[in-house]
């Protein structure tokens, strides 16, 4: 049985006060969740969120990481630093980083390897643009993005990783993939991994991301190959995030 996961990607949002309030809200509702709950704050708030987490069982993640461990890399944050402040997960390959910060398949693969090398777990994001979906090449695109990490780190590396299928056209748009659309791609991903290693594929958590919210979470989470969600906008309100974290699991 795969343990479901719901991870909040706060992106570049929040303030000292709002982060405190959000954490208090999430902690108050942890009794009802049926998933591993992860929050990924902006770097500067990670230490205060780590304090707030206490013994609540909430896990901590970062949104990005440098592939180098230390040195003259102005503006970057390394794996050892993230470990030092209590992170367990790191989001890698988010479509915003791919589109706005030039992260190619090659860059995402290097970062993925660096996360693992540091004893952290990547939440590796993949997904097609609207244009690619309309061209009917969703599986090629997602397949290519996964091949980048399979070719560099091998299928066994997925034992310590989580994948997140996030169709770019669904991120922040309010346009969610239908449960059937999402399940179809999730099944493709699991089958692709199974061609190399059935046991790894069976144990691999594949999250859905892209306008998942309190209204559609239960149906998405009930799909057989959807093991939870990577949540942007709806993770910024404790009440909405908690509904997603406790949505009925199939
Ligand atoms: P969204 O973002 O939930 O706001 O669509 C998801 C993500 O980018 O991870």
């Amino acid at each position: 049985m795969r343990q479901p996961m719901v991870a909040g990607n706060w992106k570049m949002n929040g303030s000292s006060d709002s982060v405190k309030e959000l954490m208090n809200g999430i902690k108050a509702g942890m009794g009802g969740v049926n998933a591993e709950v992860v929050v990924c704050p902006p770097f500067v708030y990670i230490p205060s969120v780590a304090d707030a987490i206490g013994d609540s069982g909430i896990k901590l993640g970062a949104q990005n990481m440098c592939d180098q461990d230390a040195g003259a890399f102005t503006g970057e944050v390394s794996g050892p630093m993230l470990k030092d402040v209590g992170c367990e997960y790191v989001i890698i390959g988010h479509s915003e980083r791919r589109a706005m910060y030039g992260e190619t398949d090659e860059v995402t693969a290097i970062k993925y390897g660096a996360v693992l090398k540091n004893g952290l777990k990547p939440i590796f994001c993949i997904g097609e643009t609207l244009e690619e979906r309309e061209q009917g090449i969703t599986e090629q695109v997602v397949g290519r993005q996964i091949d980048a990490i399979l070719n560099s780190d091998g299928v066994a590396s997925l034992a310590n990783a989580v994948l997140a299928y996030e169709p770019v056209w669904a991120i922040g748009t309010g346009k969610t993939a239908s449960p059937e659309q999402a399940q179809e791609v999730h099944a493709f991903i699991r089958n692709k991994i199974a061609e190399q290693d059935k046991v790894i594929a069976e144990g691999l958590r594949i999250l859905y991301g892209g306008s998942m919210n309190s209204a559609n979470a239960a149906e998405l989470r009930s799909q057989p190959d959807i093991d939870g969600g990577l949540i942007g906008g709806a993770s910024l309100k404790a009440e909405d995030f908690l509904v997603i974290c406790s949505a009925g699991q199939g």
Side-chain angles (χ1 to χ4, degrees):
M1 254 317 259
R2 298 183 289 271
Q3 185 194 17
M5 171 191 280
V6 177
N9 172 12
W10 296 357
K11 308 193 179 182
M12 197 173 71
N13 292 295
S15 64
S16 301
D17 285 346
S18 75
V19 159
K20 210 174 282 170
E21 193 186 321
L22 180 53
M23 285 307 296
N24 284 338
I26 298 173
K27 278 196 296 181
M30 281 297 286
V33 305
N34 63 356
E36 181 180 15
V37 175
V38 184
V39 291
C40 303
F43 288 132
V44 292
Y45 299 121
I46 288 176
S48 65
V49 170
D51 282 346
I53 282 175
D55 61 0
S56 64
I58 298 168
K59 305 284 181 63
L60 192 53
Q63 300 173 19
N64 184 26
M65 195 191 96
C66 183
D67 62 305
Q68 302 293 319
D69 284 352
F73 301 96
T74 302
E76 292 291 305
V77 174
S78 73
M81 292 173 183
L82 295 178
K83 265 213 106 152
D84 186 33
V85 293
C87 286
E88 180 172 338
Y89 292 97
V90 186
I91 298 172
I92 295 293
H94 191 279
S95 68
E96 285 152 18
R97 298 224 48 98
R98 291 177 188 262
M100 291 189 269
Y101 301 97
E103 294 198 3
T104 59
D105 285 338
E106 194 188 351
V107 170
T108 63
I110 291 169
K111 289 191 173 194
Y112 174 89
V115 170
L116 290 167
K117 190 199 80 185
N118 279 289
L120 294 155
K121 298 172 191 160
I123 299 174
F124 189 74
C125 303
I126 52 187
E128 82 289 1
T129 63
L130 182 59
E131 200 183 4
E132 289 162 342
R133 173 159 284 263
E134 283 170 350
Q135 283 169 19
I137 56 169
T138 295
E139 293 185 356
Q140 273 123 286
V141 171
V142 168
R144 188 202 74 221
Q145 292 167 331
I146 296 173
D147 281 338
I149 56 170
L150 292 180
N151 293 339
S152 64
D153 285 82
V155 69
S157 71
L158 288 172
N160 295 309
V162 176
L163 292 184
Y165 168 58
E166 301 205 300
V168 179
W169 48 272
I171 295 178
T173 58
K175 231 178 125 185
T176 321
S178 70
E180 296 74 24
Q181 274 175 325
Q183 165 59 26
E184 195 182 357
V185 181
H186 281 235
F188 163 76
I189 294 167
R190 199 177 306 284
N191 289 335
K192 178 179 167 64
I193 308 295
E195 283 168 15
Q196 293 198 20
D197 192 315
K198 281 199 175 63
V199 176
I200 295 273
E202 199 44 46
L204 177 67
R205 291 182 292 181
I206 309 174
L207 313 182
Y208 169 80
S211 299
M212 197 192 245
N213 58 38
S214 54
N216 58 32
E219 219 187 334
L220 284 160
R221 285 191 59 189
S222 71
Q223 300 300 311
D225 288 297
I226 297 182
D227 305 306
L230 180 56
I231 319 300
S235 72
L236 298 171
K237 282 197 192 132
E239 206 179 309
D240 290 351
F241 187 58
L242 286 165
V243 171
I244 300 170
C245 292
S246 50
Q249 177 68 12

